[in-house]
Amino acid sequence: MSSSNTQQSGLDARATDSKVRLLGVVAWLSVAVALGMMFFVARVDDFNGPVQKIFYVHVPSAWLAYLSFAIVFVSSIAYLRTESRRWDLLAHSAAEIGVVFTSLVLITGPIWARPIWGTWWQWDARLTSTLVLWLVYVGYLLLRGLSTDPSRTGRLAAVVGIIGFINVPIVHYSVNWWRTLHPVGPTVADPVNNSGFEAPELATFFVALAAFTLLFAWLLAIRVRLGRLADDVDARALVVEGLRDPGPAARRSPSPAGSET
Amino acid sequence: MSTTAWMVVAFLAVGVGIGSYLLSITARRRVLNRRLEELEGRSPHS
């Protein structure tokens, strides 16, 4: 590799660093704005009281869980078609973040349910299918963590990522398909339905949704970079152990990853 | 417990959840950077 190419890749890495850092700043600022709106713009619900504000973090978390697993689904298909490591890494990263946000859905839901329903949990269709969704993707991550053959793991995980996505529409439409205790609306697609929302609440909801989505994009970017760093370490380890020719990727010095966190 | 307290607990849970995930990414990155430095010290191309 020529020195000009090495310099160019260093410049590219620095430009990516700046973009990720900027995305992080914008994401956290929008989260701050959303939090401000939740407490100072959205009015307290007449019937359920302040606890209803959990809605503004619960629904965006559920949206991000759907989005994460949709990315896993698409990336898994792309990986099986191309065997390109970047799709595998994207699927793995999105699955990890999806599990984080599904966990937040499963934590904030019962915290809302305890004072409103008088119970932490009901085995109704929405709650049970969400728990199954969480278990499927925890299984996906365990599969990736326990296996020692990266290529085989990638293919197996891609199959799980594709099949697991079947549960996402089941979770979403469970409240329509079965009689459940979980409120039918509002949803991301139809926030006005059954909500009694007016302009301040709707604005808060959409700002929260946008802020969480920006936060997701930033988390995904830094998680993918972590995966690339792990790949660099593996490649370098093989070179040091004398098992592989270094090649251009291993010869270059990786930039210090993710200083933006 | 008042419904305000439940709301605070839920918001704290979200903060702790996202914060813990960020800490886990930072910790993993530190371990990898340390390992990379070790390997670069032993590399035939260093």
Side-chain angles (χ1 to χ4, degrees), chain A residues 40-209:
Chain A
F40 302 113
V41 176
R43 290 161 304 175
V44 173
D45 185 79
D46 290 338
F47 189 69
N48 291 328
V51 77
Q52 193 60 28
K53 293 196 181 200
I54 290 175
F55 168 87
Y56 298 113
V57 290
H58 180 76
V59 178
S61 297
W63 148 246
L64 291 186
Y66 291 173
L67 179 64
S68 303
F69 300 140
I71 291 173
V72 176
F73 177 71
V74 173
S75 306
S76 298
I77 292 172
Y79 177 70
L80 287 180
R81 285 171 64 100
T82 64
E83 299 252 322
S84 162
R85 169 67 183 141
R86 56 191 274 243
W87 292 116
D88 189 39
L89 179 55
L90 184 61
H92 187 181
S93 304
E96 199 175 280
I97 299 169
V99 166
V100 170
F101 281 100
T102 313
S103 304
L104 293 180
V105 171
L106 289 170
I107 290 167
T108 53
I111 293 173
W112 174 87
R114 181 70 184 87
I116 301 300
W117 291 346
T119 180
W120 295 100
W121 187 263
Q122 282 287 313
W123 291 100
D124 87 343
R126 171 58 71 80
L127 277 66
T128 308
S129 57
T130 306
L131 181 63
V132 170
L133 186 73
W134 183 81
L135 287 170
V136 166
Y137 285 94
V138 167
Y140 173 98
L141 294 178
L142 283 175
L143 172 74
R144 303 202 69 123
L146 293 175
S147 174
T148 50
D149 177 353
S151 169
R152 191 160 170 266
T153 307
R155 286 195 301 275
L156 250 170
V159 172
V160 175
I162 292 166
I163 295 172
F165 187 72
I166 293 169
N167 197 23
V168 169
I170 295 175
V171 172
H172 187 73
Y173 291 107
S174 57
V175 288
N176 304 111
W177 293 342
W178 294 283
R179 279 176 54 176
T180 66
L181 197 55
H182 191 282
V184 173
T187 63
V188 173
D190 188 6
V192 183
N193 180 39
N194 297 337
S195 69
F197 271 13
E198 289 179 23
E201 291 75 40
L202 270 180
T204 304
F205 174 69
F206 281 114
V207 169
L209 209 58

Side-chain angles (χ1 to χ4, degrees), chain A residues 50 96 111 236 246 257-258 261, chain B residues 3-4 6 21 28-29 40 45:
Chain A
E96 199 175 280
I111 293 173
R236 194 64 60 108
T261 48
Chain B
T3 67
T4 306
W6 286 115
Y21 183 60
R28 284 184 278 173
R29 196 180 55 224
E40 278 177 349
H45 302 280

